[in-house]
Amino acid sequence: MNSEVHPLVAGLVITTTLMAVALWAWASGVAAGFGGPAALVTGPGGHHFIEIQKYLVEHDEDGAYVRTHDLGAIDIELLLGGYAFFSDGDILLRRGIDPRSFFDNVRAYRRETNLNSIVPDEPGSGLFRCNLDTSDCSRFGDTGIDFKAAFSVLIDWQTDEVYISDTTRHLVRKYSPDGRELAPPVGDFKFPNQLMLHDGHLLVADTNNHVIRHLEPQSSSFAELIESHSVVPGAARIARQTWPSHFARVGDHWWVNNMQTGMSKGGIYVFDGEWGFVRPIQLPPDADPIALLPVGDEVWVSDWDNDVVRRFSAAGESLPDLESEGLETILAESRKERLTYTLISFAGVALVVMMLLALMVRAFALGMNKGPAPKAADADAVAARHDSAPLFFEPDEKLRKRMTLVLRFILFLTLLGVVTLAYLFRSFESPDAVLPLVLAIAGMLAIILLIAWVNKANWKTSIRLDGNTLTLRDYLGRTSSCPIRDVRFDDTAIATRDVIVMLGRPQAQVYNRADLQERLLPRLGDAQRVGPIAMLKIQIQLRHPQGLVAVLALIGVIAYAAVQAAT
């Protein structure tokens, strides 16, 4: 290992960076889980339901708020996939935890076909038919069905037959009301999404084929192609919105949500009854539309990223966003939680940035501390090395001033973080959400204080060599003398039995290293040279701040690992 990099320092840097990246990834993922409104569905009684996280917010025929259904009552932690209502008001949806692994998400991102079984892993997971009023649920299918990934569902209220687009397997399926398969699954799709029955046809948003397909819904000839329509006009291609996912029949027209790559930031395009392009719907630049739902003489559009349900007239004119007491109650709490975890993720990013800045500062300090290479010693100098004349050394004053400048720069960066924290407290409605950053700022201040403490302990020391006796004075003014044979030293420090004096790293010096190498080290022939770990033990035994800080760092890493293991 490079002698200029202490193994403990290298390990601490690597561990801290990994911890910061892990904190950022975890907190960002949790924050993303507090999504906005998503699927919009009308029930058989004419009421409209807005899906948001694990809730269904119910509104009457006129769009007035009725009540909120907490799906946690039927053991749903995450509403994965679509949902639909039977003619009697029961709902079909997926229960159970999110079964998707990291590699499942990677395969989905790479657009790879899902090869996982649709057999439920647990008795309580999979598709269930539930009553929202009584929370009674029954398994859909005798042996159970569980898609474990994205899917859309449609129920024909005339027959209660169930149509499901198995998105990640590129299939469309048909089941009886009790979950019996009525026809073999049909392929030739690429990520099918929303389904709709219209004029005796089953319509499918065939997302990655960029079309809306009209299929035969009858079981005997299920999913035979009737016709297909491209729904990506030139305006959509220019905007890179080429992936149709949701659509709606609005009067005599069709509205289609074409997503961008990544299935977000879509645009809504209007087509006539024969699927001829008419016009785009004007959305705000940051809009992230998901589902479309005709409600009376207007259209609701859920906006995931912006926490709103947008309203438009049937003619496409923008109306005020939906005002819903139930939706706003969830969103208020969601915004607070999302902000909390977003700030935690920012703390992880800030820790990485501070680590990079610290490394830059260290490189700057090392560059300043580099002096000219020592000149080759002449015969007189060689003889002087073996001279028995008394020697006296003190820390290099110029180096001390440079290190003080570096410390002040680091302190300035930390104070800048404190000012930023104060600004956040004043800027957000919920200052409590900013509290996670306090830990990060407090940690930075603690590190600065420890660095300052260690730095101070490297000055006001001295080394005296008189004949065969070495005398050290430490930063507290204590002195200790011993014969050279009892001295222990390495490139960073020198110690007697009672006192230790830090010499600095080879390129981050406390004493003038060339002076030590020319005059002191040649006269320590009988002293004991030790390795870096042994010298660290000596620092700890003699309670030098540098050794104590190393112990604190090690305890911190172990404590963090223990907490992570416990949680």
Side-chain angles (χ1 to χ4, degrees), residues 501-519:
V501 168
M502 305 306 298
L503 305 177
R505 304 297 300 168
Q507 290 182 304
Q509 307 167 23
V510 175
Y511 285 77
N512 186 302
R513 183 157 298 273
D515 197 17
L516 294 179
Q517 289 177 338
E518 288 293 325
R519 303 172 59 206

Side-chain angles (χ1 to χ4, degrees), residues 308-324:
V308 298
V309 173
R310 302 187 185 277
R311 296 168 56 242
F312 297 88
S313 69
E317 298 171 342
S318 180
L319 303 173
D321 295 338
L322 177 68
E323 294 184 0
S324 167

Side-chain angles (χ1 to χ4, degrees), residues 263-531:
M263 301 306 290
S264 63
K265 304 299 182 183
I268 300 174
Y269 297 86
V270 179
F271 301 82
D272 61 25
E274 302 301 321
W275 294 97
F277 176 61
V278 177
R279 66 182 183 279
I281 297 295
Q282 296 300 316
L283 296 171
D286 62 341
D288 185 29
I290 304 292
L292 313 173
L293 183 68
V295 177
D297 58 355
E298 62 187 49
V299 182
W300 289 3
V301 178
S302 58
D303 190 321
W304 171 276
D305 267 357
N306 295 286
D307 290 345
V308 298
V309 173
R310 302 187 185 277
R311 296 168 56 242
F312 297 88
S313 69
E317 298 171 342
S318 180
L319 303 173
D321 295 338
L322 177 68
E323 294 184 0
S324 167
E325 177 186 347
L327 188 62
E328 184 55 37
T329 298
I330 297 171
L331 286 173
E333 184 63 26
S334 175
R335 293 186 191 105
K336 181 179 177 180
E337 294 293 332
R338 187 187 301 147
L339 177 60
T340 297
Y341 286 98
T342 298
L343 291 174
I344 292 175
S345 71
F346 286 167
V349 173
L351 190 54
V352 172
V353 171
M354 289 297 294
M355 183 67 66
L356 292 175
L357 287 173
L359 292 175
M360 291 173 61
V361 169
R362 182 178 183 274
F364 172 71
L366 295 181
M368 290 193 306
N369 288 340
K370 287 182 180 179
K375 297 180 180 180
D378 55 21
D380 292 337
V382 172
R385 291 194 188 111
H386 302 283
D387 200 316
S388 59
L391 299 177
F392 182 75
F393 304 91
E394 288 186 323
D396 191 310
E397 183 64 18
K398 293 181 180 179
L399 298 179
R400 185 192 67 79
K401 290 180 178 179
R402 290 172 183 172
M403 293 303 297
T404 301
L405 178 63
V406 171
L407 276 176
R408 288 176 179 173
F409 178 66
I410 297 176
L411 181 60
F412 168 76
L413 293 177
T414 306
L415 292 177
L416 186 62
V418 173
V419 172
T420 302
L421 183 63
Y423 171 77
L424 291 174
F425 267 109
R426 292 178 58 88
S427 300
F428 291 109
E429 295 179 0
S430 302
D432 290 347
V434 190
L435 290 179
L437 279 181
V438 173
L439 183 59
I441 298 295
M444 293 177 192
L445 285 173
I447 291 172
I448 295 300
L449 292 175
L450 289 174
I451 292 175
W453 182 39
V454 170
N455 187 62
K456 184 178 180 181
N458 289 337
W459 311 104
K460 296 185 178 180
T461 60
S462 68
I463 304 170
R464 178 183 294 276
L465 180 60
D466 191 354
N468 193 44
T469 301
L470 182 77
T471 302
L472 301 181
R473 182 184 68 198
D474 67 8
Y475 71 104
L476 295 175
R478 298 175 301 185
T479 60
S480 175
S481 300
C482 70
I484 289 178
R485 65 175 179 274
D486 295 330
V487 172
R488 295 162 294 174
F489 75 101
D490 68 359
D491 289 335
T492 65
I494 186 168
T496 64
R497 290 190 180 90
D498 307 311
V499 167
I500 184 171
V501 168
M502 305 306 298
L503 305 177
R505 304 297 300 168
Q507 290 182 304
Q509 307 167 23
V510 175
Y511 285 77
N512 186 302
R513 183 157 298 273
D515 197 17
L516 294 179
Q517 289 177 338
E518 288 293 325
R519 303 172 59 206
L520 176 65
L521 297 184
R523 293 175 58 177
L524 297 182
D526 293 334
Q528 180 184 356
R529 176 178 281 274
V530 299

Side-chain angles (χ1 to χ4, degrees), residues 161-164 172-176 180-185 217-220 222:
E161 292 175 337
V162 179
Y163 301 87
I164 295 178
V172 174
R173 305 173 185 267
K174 183 177 182 180
Y175 296 94
S176 68
R180 178 171 44 87
E181 196 168 53
L182 297 178
Q218 297 300 317
S219 300
S220 58
F222 175 60

Side-chain angles (χ1 to χ4, degrees), residues 120-279:
D121 295 328
E122 302 289 342
S125 66
L127 295 183
F128 280 78
R129 180 171 179 166
C130 300
N131 186 300
L132 290 178
D133 294 324
T134 64
S135 298
D136 293 330
C137 294
S138 60
R139 181 180 290 282
F140 185 69
D142 291 338
T143 58
I145 302 168
D146 187 2
F147 293 111
K148 309 173 189 174
F151 67 91
S152 294
V153 58
L154 167 71
I155 298 177
D156 181 358
W157 293 335
Q158 300 299 319
T159 63
D160 273 348
E161 292 175 337
V162 179
Y163 301 87
I164 295 178
S165 61
D166 190 353
T167 306
T168 60
R169 294 180 183 83
H170 317 295
L171 301 172
V172 174
R173 305 173 185 267
K174 183 177 182 180
Y175 296 94
S176 68
D178 59 1
R180 178 171 44 87
E181 196 168 53
L182 297 178
V186 177
D188 197 30
F189 300 96
K190 289 185 179 179
F191 295 97
N193 274 289
Q194 185 180 336
L195 304 169
M196 178 187 293
L197 287 170
H198 180 75
D199 286 347
H201 295 176
L202 175 65
L203 276 63
V204 181
D206 193 356
T207 299
N208 283 37
N209 282 318
H210 315 289
V211 298
I212 302 294
R213 296 192 186 277
H214 291 230
L215 308 175
E216 173 58 58
Q218 297 300 317
S219 300
S220 58
S221 54
F222 175 60
E224 287 185 1
L225 180 64
I226 299 173
E227 56 186 357
S228 179
H229 302 282
S230 173
V231 289
V232 184
R237 294 187 185 280
I238 293 173
R240 297 182 298 172
Q241 296 166 333
T242 61
W243 313 96
S245 63
H246 295 76
F247 60 97
R249 181 73 173 185
V250 181
D252 296 329
H253 290 78
W254 293 100
W255 288 29
V256 180
N257 179 12
N258 286 331
M259 299 281 199
Q260 289 186 353
T261 300
M263 301 306 290
S264 63
K265 304 299 182 183
I268 300 174
Y269 297 86
V270 179
F271 301 82
D272 61 25
E274 302 301 321
W275 294 97
F277 176 61
V278 177
R279 66 182 183 279

